Amino acid sequence: MNLATQAAANPGPIPFFMAAVVGAYFLGMAYLLWFNPRGYGARLMRLWYSTSPYRAPDGYGLIWRARLFAAVGFVGGVAAATVAVLGFLGKFPPS
C-alpha cells in the first residue's frame, strides 16, 4: 500500500476539524441573521439579489427571508457539528 492509498483510507481528524469550523460558521451566521435580521439580513439580501433582476425584499419580507436563511443555516450548522462530534468520538462514519 503506497502513501496516497493509505492517506485516502485514513484521512485522520482533518475532515472533522473542517466540519467543526463549517458548523461554527453556519451557527454563527444563523445567530446573527435570526437576532438582527434588519442589519445583517439587509446586507445578505443586498448581496444575494445583487445580480438578480428582482428587487431585494424590504420590511417584513426582509425579516422573514433573513429568518428563513437563519433556519437553514442553523440546520446546516447542527448537521456539520454533529458530524464533527461523532468523528472526534470515533463513531463516524458508522460501521
Side-chain angles (χ1 to χ4, degrees):
M1 179 183 294
N2 62 16
L3 188 58
T5 308
Q6 184 179 0
N10 184 13
I14 292 172
F16 304 117
F17 281 116
M18 291 172 56
V21 168
V22 168
Y25 172 78
F26 276 118
L27 289 173
M29 183 63 74
Y31 176 81
L32 288 176
L33 285 175
W34 189 266
F35 290 108
N36 190 4
R38 287 195 189 272
Y40 290 104
R43 291 184 187 137
L44 180 67
M45 291 300 133
R46 200 174 309 125
L47 176 69
W48 186 263
Y49 284 94
S50 63
T51 60
S52 172
Y54 302 106
R55 289 186 42 200
D58 56 352
Y60 288 112
L62 170 71
I63 291 172
W64 290 113
R65 187 76 51 96
R67 289 206 170 144
L68 175 68
F69 273 70
V72 170
F74 179 75
V75 170
V78 168
T82 302
V83 168
V85 168
L86 290 176
F88 289 135
L89 294 175
K91 306 279 187 198
F92 191 87
S95 53

